[in-house]
Amino acid sequence: MTTTPLPHTQQNQTAGTTSPITVEVAVPLPLDCTFHYRVPASLADQIRPGVRVFVPFGRRKITAYLLGFTPAPPDQPLKELLEILDNEPLWTDAELTFFRWIAAYYLHPLGEVLKTALPTGINLKSQTTVDGESVTGGKNIRRERFFEAHDSPDPVKIKGKGLDILDFLRQSGPTSSAELRQRFGECNQNLRRLVELGYTRMREQEIYRDPFAGLQIKPDTPKALNRHQQQCLDSILDAVVLKQFAPFLLHGVTGSGKTEVYLQAIAKILADGTNALVLVPEISLTPQLVHRFRARFTDSIAVLHSALSDGERYDEWRRIRRGEVRIVIGARSAIFAPLERIGIIVVDEEHEASFKQSDGLRYNARDLALVRGQQEKAVVLLGSATPLVTTRFAAQQGKLGYLSLPERVGSSSLPETSIISMRMTAETPFSPPLLQALTDNLERGEQSILFLNRRGFASWLVCPACGADLQCPNCSVSLTYHRQRRKSICHYCDYQVPAPCICPACGELELKEMGAGTERIEHELLERFPNARIARMDSDTTSGKGGHARILDKVGRGEVDILIGTQMIAKGHDFPGVTLVGVLQAEGSLYLPDFRAAERTFQVLSQVMGRAGRGDLPGRVLLQAMQPDHYGIAFAASHDFDSFYQEELLFRQELNYPPFGFLAVLRLSATSESALIKAAAAAAQLLGLLKQQLGVRTEILGPAPAPLYRLRGRYRYQILLKDTTRATLRRLVSIYRQQQSLPAVIRESIDIDPVDLL
């Protein structure tokens, strides 16, 4: 681990021959500047860049991040830092360079970038779970007691369980107290007695929490590659040899074997002595991918994602920091993993919007993978069956290498797809052809997937008497009815009321259920197919640790006949037994007020269609749509990415949207609507004035109410900025940020390269 050493002049200072050491720190607060502190003589020998320190800040004391040593500002009295919180640096010089780049690009305070990059568990207390007791102090480190037999005379004073434990320790060697309790039951008193009499020794040892506990893995060997896979792998390995930054788009249809290319490329990287970072967009993809990687690479793997406990996350972070792992797999936050000597970064399903953080530091892990790969001189592999229009355009322009997997592996082919128009269909979520296809699949013993990207039982409840619907009082949305939980819930702020509910407008006692969610689909299928084994996968059924993996494992073992799910079932999963995919409301995402609506519709349909026919049996897809002729749906049904890409590119070029323009969004919110409107107008006026002063052509659209106007009790306005050059856009926003002064009641955020305009 490379860190900045204590400068020679500072080393002399520690001996007291010159003035006290001065350090620069960043604080985890929304402040753009850094701060200087003096180091007291008592701490001078321990201080080094990359550690956390405890400092006085105004009237309080806070944790700060020590960036480095600096000359003392002239004629400026400095406060002394109070405490050093780490024995070793938490980041390397290279990682700090990366963090500084992020802060500068996303116009975000460096202290908050560092806070985001470090694991949450680093600030917690340690926990020693021994003999049923909990001891705290220091960091979030778990320790366990181990016992071993001591060379001693025959135990004349021990009998019964104590003698059995001693005999076991003599045969097995050092054993943890947890394992002894599992084998012998409650035995704390026996262990204490054995130690008191000198028959055993006890030592305390730090242990890692294991997120893979209980995971059974069957070793795997590399698979034979087809011609296209081998060509892609050869291109990647040729780039690896050069040890230079080499970005690629790996564009492979669903089932084309992209993961096998990842695995074999990483095997070569590891053999050359460098490491691999693998990013996936969703927690639901992590278990299956981790299973495949552990089957191939055994134990040298760490995972980082939000489903881990703080303690597990901290332990995985420490394993990475200590160089004990070679491969890191995780969701977007894994881009901050303290992995050194990176040879390859893989971004699987690179098109996914979930790589973008939606609040706080609004970074895009997919974009940062390219930045980190450039800094590490590594290969970066962006993989997708439906790449972003911007990514495909970059490859077309020669900014990325283009690797193609146009065919599925083995004998399987892309599924036959039919579009079913629902314009004249009665109010039912199922068309007759889909019901018949489900029936046929059940009779043949084959598995089916039904996709509907809306959870709950009914999308909203409406009064049949006056027409009023049940609205969230905090957000500009209707409440979603969940029959199983007997509540109507807001999916944004979690406001909920018991159901059934009377009409708040006229007092009508019975509200009508409108629209369908995954819970209703499950309910109706259970009524139609009472003997079928049906599972539902959405955020209501996957809450809790291991929720995703439990359902996916059942599907993989063939214990589910019909899987109903939201977007989390649409990508990355490989179920050879699935031969039928039914899509309900194929045009659902077309209604979003976002220029990417068609692209996202094409992507999600292509991905969920790709779950069918991945085994020996052919697959079939039925798309139910109210707008069957829309190009986003029609080209997805015909598996025609190139035609969709060309059509979408014309639309983007006409309106100067990415890849032909660059975007930034200023979002303002307040609990007072009048104060917000006034502040938004002032912000737009300032932007217009700066645009004129700078002589730039940036488009300023707004201010306008956000499509989701009220969220969690706050009214929201936004201003969209477009420019043909990234530098010009960021310059305007940066100067605006320096000059803007908003009332305390107004919150403002700046989103560079936004992916969500809601």
Side-chain angles (χ1 to χ4, degrees), residues 573-622:
H573 308 304
D574 190 355
F575 301 126
V578 174
T579 58
L580 173 67
V581 167
V583 178
L584 314 178
Q585 299 180 14
E587 68 288 329
S589 52
L590 283 177
Y591 303 139
L592 295 176
D594 194 308
F595 73 92
R596 296 183 182 88
E599 179 180 34
R600 288 176 177 163
T601 298
F602 178 87
Q603 288 167 346
V604 73
L605 293 181
S606 298
Q607 293 289 334
V608 74
M609 287 161 51
R611 300 316 106 200
R614 297 170 75 99
D616 297 330
L617 297 174
R620 183 184 179 196
V621 178
L622 298 179

Side-chain angles (χ1 to χ4, degrees), residues 38 54 94 119 160 197 220 231 358 363 384 390 432 437 537 548 598 600 634 706 715 729:
R38 284 190 298 110
F54 202 48
L197 295 175
D220 178 33
Q231 289 172 350
S358 60
Y363 67 94
S384 177
T390 50
M537 188 169 177
H548 297 86
R600 288 176 177 163
Y715 297 97
L729 178 65

